[in-house]
Amino acid sequence: MPGHCDGMRLDQAAARIFPDFSRARLQSWIKSGALRIDGEPTTQRTKVIAGSVLELHVELEPEVAWSGESLPLDILYEDEHILILNKPPGLVVHPGAGNPSGTLVNALLHHRPSLESLPRAGLVHRIDKETSGLLVVAASLRAHTSLVDQLQQKTMRREYFAIVRGTMTGGGTVKAPIGRHPRLRTKMAVVPRGGKEAVTHYRIAERFRAHTAIDVQLETGRTHQIRVHMAHKNHPLLGDPVYGGRLQFPADASEAVKASLRSFRRQALHARKLTLVHPGEQEEVIFESELATDLMELVAVLRADARRADP
């Protein structure tokens, strides 16, 4: 045990000596007896002494039972530490009961089989099936620990573009806890009691006649957070099949505009910018992606409609 760890709790010292593993994983190994001091099992609160030997006896097994599939991936950046992906709308991220295959994870495991040894195949955050845009994937245990820590410390910045129903008068912040809907268990909702802290910042990007384009930054990452918070503000995302409410047309809209709005059958949401500290270089990096084609076309239709209505 190096001298700088003398007097530390075992879990704190272990986090320094085994930086590739998360604190939670190290604590579980201490509890199971896989992580010992001088061959003796102990507790995470035990104080370590300089010169003692820290022993770790584990065999890393695949974290997932999912299989790789040869599926297309839009990889914007890749190195030994991370992958940055641009997810198209309609692609499920994780395999599940209704989607055992054909997911982003299946494609990742085929592209880089070593990801099977990482929690959730290296994915540290997710976006909904019908949301398009950026995702970061850890390619090593050290990178995974770093990215999870950045999410927990709220230093990873995730910025989105969205189109909401109605014309907003200004930007703002929504601070409203989110949890399961009290009656409809497949939905999330603002839950004053028992919900998890959720904070969403937004600003106006462009106004249309009956809709508003906004830039959104997440401070927390709850399930359906942007969709739930905007619906809570009475400005649900255009096209949202769960929280969107009725379809709204601009006054005297042309049949072409109505047809475009009717045919857009997903939430108008795109993860467009991701800022993080690179786990290897330890420098801040920024990644951006263009809007998905369907969303770009919808913006063009709404913009043209607004211009035609301008006197």
Side-chain angles (χ1 to χ4, degrees):
M1 184 72 65
H4 68 267
C5 292
D6 188 51
M8 283 186 176
R9 285 174 26 158
L10 176 55
D11 59 341
Q12 295 171 334
R16 290 198 176 190
I17 295 171
F18 301 110
D20 288 352
F21 303 114
S22 68
R23 182 72 66 87
R25 178 176 286 200
L26 290 168
Q27 288 173 343
S28 70
W29 285 337
I30 294 170
K31 187 176 180 180
S32 68
L35 183 56
R36 305 182 177 198
I37 298 177
D38 294 328
E40 297 295 327
T42 181
T43 70
Q44 64 190 47
R45 294 182 178 276
T46 299
K47 298 294 178 66
V48 301
I49 301 172
S52 58
V53 178
L54 200 58
E55 301 177 5
L56 178 59
H57 300 280
V58 294
E59 183 176 344
L60 293 179
E61 298 179 354
E63 290 275 350
V64 294
W66 305 319
S67 59
E69 292 181 65
S70 180
L71 301 168
L73 278 174
D74 185 2
I75 301 174
L76 301 186
Y77 175 85
E78 180 178 12
D79 62 23
E80 62 186 301
H81 302 286
I82 60 173
L83 296 89
I84 303 296
L85 308 177
N86 190 32
K87 189 186 87 66
L91 179 63
V92 176
V93 173
H94 293 107
N99 300 279
S101 61
T103 72
L104 182 66
V105 164
N106 297 117
L108 277 170
L109 291 173
H110 179 269
H111 175 73
R112 191 178 282 202
S114 60
L115 293 176
E116 71 173 5
S117 65
L118 300 179
R120 305 187 76 79
L123 282 163
V124 296
H125 65 121
R126 61 179 296 170
I127 54 181
D128 297 330
K129 173 185 176 182
E130 297 300 344
T131 299
S132 54
L134 296 173
L135 279 169
V136 59
V137 181
S140 68
L141 279 171
R142 177 169 292 195
H144 187 272
T145 300
S146 171
L147 294 173
V148 169
D149 182 65
Q150 290 180 53
L151 281 169
Q152 292 175 342
Q153 299 300 319
K154 301 178 182 178
T155 57
M156 184 187 295
R157 297 194 296 278
R158 293 161 292 163
E159 299 177 37
Y160 293 73
F161 173 87
I163 300 177
V164 299
R165 198 180 76 197
T167 51
M168 303 183 84
T169 57
T173 296
V174 183
K175 294 182 179 179
I178 291 176
R180 286 288 170 190
H181 193 288
R183 295 184 303 278
L184 304 173
R185 305 304 291 174
T186 58
K187 295 178 62 174
M188 307 302 288
V190 169
V191 182
R193 293 184 180 180
K196 293 182 179 179
E197 177 195 20
V199 182
T200 304
H201 307 284
Y202 64 95
R203 63 179 183 271
I204 292 176
E206 189 172 357
R207 289 186 181 91
F208 307 113
R209 290 206 295 143
H211 302 86
T212 307
I214 58 175
D215 294 319
V216 184
Q217 183 168 330
L218 289 181
E219 188 171 316
T220 54
R222 308 305 175 200
T223 301
H224 298 176
Q225 180 172 316
I226 296 173
R227 300 165 65 188
V228 170
H229 271 175
M230 291 301 104
H232 181 66
K233 291 285 292 182
N234 294 318
H235 289 287
L237 267 60
L238 188 159
D240 193 326
V242 178
Y243 308 99
R246 64 182 181 83
L247 185 61
Q248 182 174 322
F249 299 120
D252 301 319
S254 67
E255 287 304 315
V257 171
K258 290 180 180 179
S260 293
L261 290 170
R262 287 194 190 100
S263 64
F264 196 86
R265 297 183 178 275
R266 70 172 180 102
Q267 61 267 12
L269 184 62
H270 179 82
R272 72 187 309 176
K273 187 175 181 180
L274 189 60
T275 304
L276 55 93
V277 174
H278 190 283
E281 305 299 329
Q282 293 301 308
E283 293 181 353
E284 185 174 88
V285 290
I286 300 173
F287 300 96
E288 297 185 65
S289 76
E290 291 186 349
L291 298 182
T293 302
D294 62 342
L295 191 50
M296 197 179 299
E297 292 173 350
L298 181 62
V299 169
V301 167
L302 294 175
R303 187 177 289 152
D305 173 74
R307 286 172 180 167
R308 277 195 298 269
D310 238 0

